[in-house]
Amino acid sequence: MGQPEVSEDCIQMYFKVKGPVTQFLGRAHLCRAQLCAPKSTENLEEFENCVTQYMKVINFAKGEPRYHFLVFNASVLYWRMARPFLKPGCSHRLIASLSQMVNVLNQLEEEDTEWRAELMLELLDCYLHAGRRDEAATLCATAAPFIKAYVPHRYRQVFAIMVQHELMDELQLKEEKKTSTSLSVTFHMNVLKAKLDKNDLPEDVNKILKKTYTELGHCDHQSTPSIREEKILLLFELAHLSLTLKCEEVSSGCLSDLKKIDSEGKEKETNWNRHLPQQGPNLCHCLASFPSFLCAFPTVRCGFCTPLFPISCCHRHWPVLPPAVYTTHLKGCTIVHNIHDP
């Protein structure tokens, strides 16, 4: 409601009274962390104080299974605060706290695997920007198998990083690229990026780009939406790399393919809309209006609504509402949540 002074007074009064150690202690630290969030990336004292509050939450909550939801919420709110520090020259400040967040979420086997993968990839970038290649390689050893098993659509991203920064044995990477066209194309592009970074480009760079473009052309983007999306990303990436390496023929071909895919998509969308019945707002539309601060006040996870939300969404947990039982109406359905937590 835009009254941080009132919130600050309430939090101070809460900590003056030595109350029982319950979930509300964790929530109080979450509120305090948001109140003391740094106003800019230059204020390191505020940053450290804010991080301390989030660490208190996860250290308190990780030992009690019924409070594990607080660890997830702390990670989401922490990341919202930390994102401005991703700019060059600042990302190294996140390594200590972000690595602890990742480790705790992994220890608790947080069910939101995509969120865990997201934080792993961000931590990997922080290591690389800080020049800490050994730590990056160590993280890849655990992150790559995890992402491949549980978040396969993000695996190409970590594979590209491993190739470009040589974080895994080259023979192993070459074997890995044989498993799919997208990984093969990704491998060839990132090998060139690595050589470009070292100013050691091969003489036949144009030949490699043309071969990569031809191989990408064998990918059938009409088979599934996910393959279509992946091919679009690869075409953009290959076009950009080709322009950087002054191979206009390949970049022009990539742009032509992108236009063709776009026109095909618009045609399908038009045909689909002609037969689409008019529908009312769905669950995601209804819940998108929930205020973001509610993520600091969860009690239970709703197994029905969780899969419908984006992984990084802060509204994944329902807020505490009196009395101890509340109902949620979902287009004719009623779900009753029983709250047992003290």
Side-chain angles (χ1 to χ4, degrees), residues 165-180:
H165 297 279
E166 301 175 349
L167 300 178
M168 188 179 289
D169 180 68
E170 185 178 0
L171 292 177
Q172 186 175 349
L173 291 171
K174 286 182 177 180
E175 285 298 317
E176 188 77 19
K177 78 180 180 68
K178 296 177 182 179
T179 59
S180 73

Side-chain angles (χ1 to χ4, degrees), residues 84-149:
F85 288 85
L86 292 178
K87 64 182 182 180
C90 291
S91 60
H92 66 279
R93 297 170 183 165
L94 300 178
I95 290 177
S97 53
L98 181 54
S99 61
Q100 188 170 349
M101 284 285 183
V102 169
N103 290 335
V104 172
L105 289 172
N106 289 340
Q107 289 172 12
L108 301 183
E109 297 183 345
E110 163 60 41
E111 64 184 22
D112 199 334
T113 53
E114 189 157 353
W115 178 240
R116 287 162 61 185
E118 177 69 27
L119 293 184
M120 287 179 184
L121 289 169
E122 296 292 354
L123 177 58
L124 183 57
D125 280 342
C126 290
Y127 279 138
L128 292 173
H129 291 156
R132 296 166 64 168
R133 186 176 175 278
D134 291 340
E135 288 95 330
T138 301
L139 177 60
C140 277
T142 56
F146 172 82
I147 293 174
K148 186 177 183 179

